[in-house]
Amino acid sequence: MPEQEQTQRVIPGAKPFPENIVMSGIRPTGFLHLGNYFGAIRNYIRMQENFTCYFMVADLHSLTTHPDTSALKSGVMRVLAENIACGLDPEKAAFYCQSHVPETSELYLYLNMLAYKGELEKTVTFKDKVRQHPENVNAGLLTYPVLQAADIILHRASYVPVGKDQEQHLEMARNYVNRFNHRYGDVFPEPQAFNFNEELVKVPSLDGTGKMSKSENNMATLYLADDDDLIRKKLMKAKTDNGPTTEFAEKPDYIENIFQLMKLVSSEDVLKKFDEDYNSCRIRYGDMKKQLAEDMIRFISPIRQKAADILADETYLKNVMMTGAEKARESASKTMELVRTAMGLKYF
Ligand code: ADP
């Protein structure tokens, strides 16, 4: 196709690109955990103060891996309540449910024509999911990054607060944006993964393998709904060894993970003390884990209690969803007008 000619097209109303738009989502596939908090929600709470934010419960995404929808409603309610308990303010941000904004599915369809089977098959998360669930390798799973790109660019967002596990998907979203703009005219800014601490976060699992996750290895993940005893139990079981035998030894991954968790919830003094103990071969992992458990409880238990109260108020949560969907659809319908114009889909 004569792409050179088409790049010259100016789409009325598309430029300048909107600034300071933020978009992110979490799947309602289980209880939220420490990784969701530090990888995503912590940034949502800071960004809602100074940016135009769209945060969504990604219920359509969950259908790719969770075809049984009997727990979907309770999962959606839980994600809403736990985010709000962490500090997300539905008055400041548009907080909505993905399926309440059907424009998402329209944009997903168009982007699918710009996504290639070969590159989708190479996506790390796709390969992981194929390994985990060889019996359910559906086309939705393959095109998961395309739907995610549609979610983001539906609001013409530039910033996407996500954890490190999502870096490759963001790269793919930028590819689709560039292909769209090149083929049909400039409509979308390039979205970037965003974290206030510069580096994207990966909260490790407690068994020393991989990351904390909603759907896998429950005892190796700390959930925001875990009670105090369970938090203690999980942390005391975290993998350690007999301690270093030489000063300033490099930390094995599973020990580094415990320090990393401590960095997230303990004070600097506490962290410094255990770091010095490690470097001088005096570390007692039992004491370290006990301290970490108490700091973790101080962090998690107020969120757990608040979430339980919010979850009990279904009318409030329904209102949050309705108001959020209204705000999201307003933004989405403006973008889709630009998209249809750019693509030549407007016949009158
Ligand atoms: P999960 O992998 O637990 O199902 P989602 O896919 O719903 O979580 O991801 C929601 C958000 O939480 C994303 O921004 C993702 O990057 C972030 N996230 C999930 N797990 C972690 C982790 N262990 N460390 C950091 N961020 C994470």
Side-chain angles (χ1 to χ4, degrees):
M1 73 180 293
E3 285 185 329
Q4 290 303 330
E5 268 166 49
Q6 300 223 357
T7 51
Q8 306 307 321
R9 284 176 57 185
V10 173
I11 313 305
K15 282 217 161 160
F17 291 143
E19 284 175 12
N20 287 346
I21 309 262
V22 175
M23 162 70 211
S24 194
I26 298 189
R27 292 181 305 152
T29 46
F31 291 71
L32 295 192
H33 53 82
L34 217 58
N36 297 134
Y37 182 86
F38 286 103
I41 303 169
R42 179 174 60 165
N43 287 308
Y44 298 178
I45 297 160
R46 288 183 64 177
M47 295 184 100
Q48 70 187 359
E49 301 302 329
N50 300 312
F51 294 78
T52 304
C53 293
Y54 297 90
F55 298 130
M56 113 199 141
V57 184
D59 56 344
L60 299 179
H61 279 288
S62 71
L63 299 177
T64 60
T65 49
H66 292 64
D68 176 3
T69 53
S70 54
L72 189 57
K73 182 179 171 189
S74 64
V76 168
M77 295 301 190
R78 173 163 293 283
V79 172
L80 288 166
E82 289 186 334
N83 272 279
I84 297 169
C86 289
L88 194 152
D89 183 346
E91 306 225 332
K92 291 182 180 156
F95 193 25
Y96 65 98
C97 206
Q98 190 182 24
S99 62
H100 291 164
V101 183
E103 289 83 354
T104 312
S105 304
E106 185 188 346
L107 186 54
Y108 167 55
L109 178 83
Y110 302 152
L111 292 187
N112 268 322
M113 320 305 175
L114 300 169
Y116 300 106
K117 182 171 159 274
E119 67 190 1
L120 290 166
E121 280 169 342
K122 278 193 237 145
T123 316
V124 175
T125 44
F126 176 69
K127 288 198 281 193
D128 282 350
K129 295 272 156 65
V130 170
R131 219 172 300 124
Q132 288 157 5
H133 298 285
E135 77 296 347
N136 185 22
V137 183
N138 59 76
L141 196 61
L142 181 68
T143 56
Y144 190 107
V146 186
L147 180 56
Q148 195 178 57
D151 295 324
I152 297 166
I153 70 175
L154 188 62
H155 304 296
R156 301 207 293 157
S158 301
Y159 304 109
V160 189
V162 282
K164 197 166 174 51
D165 56 326
Q166 295 292 324
E167 246 175 345
Q168 190 182 26
H169 289 177
L170 258 291
E171 179 74 44
M172 294 173 85
R174 282 192 289 279
N175 287 341
Y176 304 139
V177 159
N178 287 325
R179 284 175 203 163
F180 185 99
N181 287 350
H182 190 65
R183 190 170 291 180
Y184 300 117
D186 284 350
V187 172
F188 299 111
E190 278 193 10
Q192 310 285 342
F194 184 90
N195 187 296
F196 273 102
N197 302 328
E198 287 141 40
E199 283 211 357
L200 297 185
V201 176
K202 175 184 157 189
V203 178
S205 70
L206 297 172
D207 58 7
T209 62
K211 59 162 200 148
M212 288 195 184
S213 156
K214 276 200 229 88
S215 8
E216 293 133 45
N217 55 1
N218 283 349
M219 281 309 282
T221 294
L222 289 164
Y223 296 95
L224 301 179
D226 283 349
D227 67 35
D228 297 356
D229 283 345
L230 190 54
I231 295 171
R232 280 192 197 99
K233 196 165 154 201
K234 285 182 179 179
L235 282 172
M236 293 317 283
K237 279 179 95 166
K239 185 176 172 186
T240 50
D241 52 28
N242 293 330
T245 47
T246 52
E247 291 191 349
F248 292 94
E250 200 178 317
K251 297 182 182 100
D253 281 354
Y254 50 91
I255 298 295
E256 182 61 49
N257 288 352
I258 296 178
F259 274 92
Q260 223 180 306
L261 291 173
M262 196 162 232
K263 209 181 279 176
L264 296 174
V265 296
S266 302
S267 71
E268 270 180 34
D269 288 350
V270 165
L271 185 67
K272 194 162 159 248
K273 176 208 164 336
F274 285 103
D275 210 34
E276 282 169 5
D277 286 354
Y278 181 88
N279 286 331
S280 55
C281 304
R282 277 184 287 125
I283 188 129
R284 293 160 63 124
Y285 289 127
D287 290 350
M288 183 179 184
K289 291 198 277 189
K290 261 188 215 148
Q291 174 74 48
L292 178 58
E294 293 319 304
D295 292 341
M296 195 60 79
I297 287 167
R298 198 164 339 107
F299 177 78
I300 288 181
S301 75
I303 297 178
R304 178 185 69 230
Q305 285 159 22
K306 205 162 168 203
D309 292 343
I310 298 169
L311 205 47
D313 191 348
E314 207 171 302
T315 312
Y316 166 73
L317 289 175
K318 189 175 151 202
N319 280 333
V320 166
M321 273 191 275
M322 280 168 46
T323 316
E326 231 170 77
K327 290 191 221 171
R329 290 202 70 184
E330 198 186 321
S331 145
S333 67
K334 283 186 195 147
T335 303
M336 292 316 292
E337 271 300 299
L338 297 174
V339 167
R340 293 184 208 110
T341 304
M343 292 182 73
L345 291 169
K346 289 191 72 132
Y347 310 129
F348 53 84

